[in-house]
mmCIF file of all heavy atoms in Angstrom:
data_model
loop_
_atom_site.group_PDB
_atom_site.id
_atom_site.type_symbol
_atom_site.label_atom_id
_atom_site.label_comp_id
_atom_site.label_asym_id
_atom_site.label_seq_id
_atom_site.Cartn_x
_atom_site.Cartn_y
_atom_site.Cartn_z
ATOM 1 N N ASP A 41 -16.695 47.919 -7.472
ATOM 2 C CA ASP A 41 -15.712 47.374 -6.533
ATOM 3 C C ASP A 41 -14.967 46.150 -7.053
ATOM 4 O O ASP A 41 -14.004 45.710 -6.436
ATOM 5 C CB ASP A 41 -16.416 46.994 -5.217
ATOM 6 C CG ASP A 41 -17.134 48.176 -4.600
ATOM 7 O OD1 ASP A 41 -16.463 49.190 -4.355
ATOM 8 O OD2 ASP A 41 -18.353 48.079 -4.376
ATOM 9 N N ALA A 63 1.920 27.363 0.558
ATOM 10 C CA ALA A 63 1.186 27.153 -0.690
ATOM 11 C C ALA A 63 1.117 25.684 -1.055
ATOM 12 O O ALA A 63 0.107 25.215 -1.610
ATOM 13 C CB ALA A 63 1.839 27.947 -1.817
ATOM 14 N N PRO A 143 -34.601 36.933 -3.000
ATOM 15 C CA PRO A 143 -35.708 36.400 -2.195
ATOM 16 C C PRO A 143 -36.268 35.120 -2.812
ATOM 17 O O PRO A 143 -36.471 35.035 -4.025
ATOM 18 C CB PRO A 143 -36.753 37.523 -2.246
ATOM 19 C CG PRO A 143 -36.019 38.744 -2.655
ATOM 20 C CD PRO A 143 -34.871 38.282 -3.511
ATOM 21 N N GLN A 170 -23.866 46.452 1.575
ATOM 22 C CA GLN A 170 -25.205 46.381 2.148
ATOM 23 C C GLN A 170 -25.531 45.002 2.735
ATOM 24 O O GLN A 170 -26.703 44.685 2.976
ATOM 25 C CB GLN A 170 -26.235 46.721 1.061
ATOM 26 C CG GLN A 170 -26.082 48.106 0.460
ATOM 27 C CD GLN A 170 -26.155 49.199 1.520
ATOM 28 O OE1 GLN A 170 -27.090 49.223 2.319
ATOM 29 N NE2 GLN A 170 -25.183 50.104 1.532
ATOM 30 N N ARG A 177 -24.595 35.665 9.551
ATOM 31 C CA ARG A 177 -24.563 34.665 10.630
ATOM 32 C C ARG A 177 -25.103 33.322 10.155
ATOM 33 O O ARG A 177 -24.595 32.262 10.518
ATOM 34 C CB ARG A 177 -25.412 35.146 11.815
ATOM 35 C CG ARG A 177 -24.791 36.210 12.679
ATOM 36 C CD ARG A 177 -25.574 36.373 13.973
ATOM 37 N NE ARG A 177 -25.087 37.484 14.775
ATOM 38 C CZ ARG A 177 -25.566 38.727 14.687
ATOM 39 N NH1 ARG A 177 -26.541 38.993 13.832
ATOM 40 N NH2 ARG A 177 -25.078 39.679 15.449
ATOM 41 N N THR A 215 0.913 26.733 6.711
ATOM 42 C CA THR A 215 2.081 26.559 7.569
ATOM 43 C C THR A 215 1.775 25.620 8.725
ATOM 44 O O THR A 215 2.604 24.769 9.087
ATOM 45 C CB THR A 215 2.545 27.924 8.112
ATOM 46 O OG1 THR A 215 2.831 28.792 7.008
ATOM 47 C CG2 THR A 215 3.784 27.782 8.973
#
Side-chain angles (χ1 to χ4, degrees):
D41 303 303
Q170 300 303 309
R177 284 193 186 91
T215 302

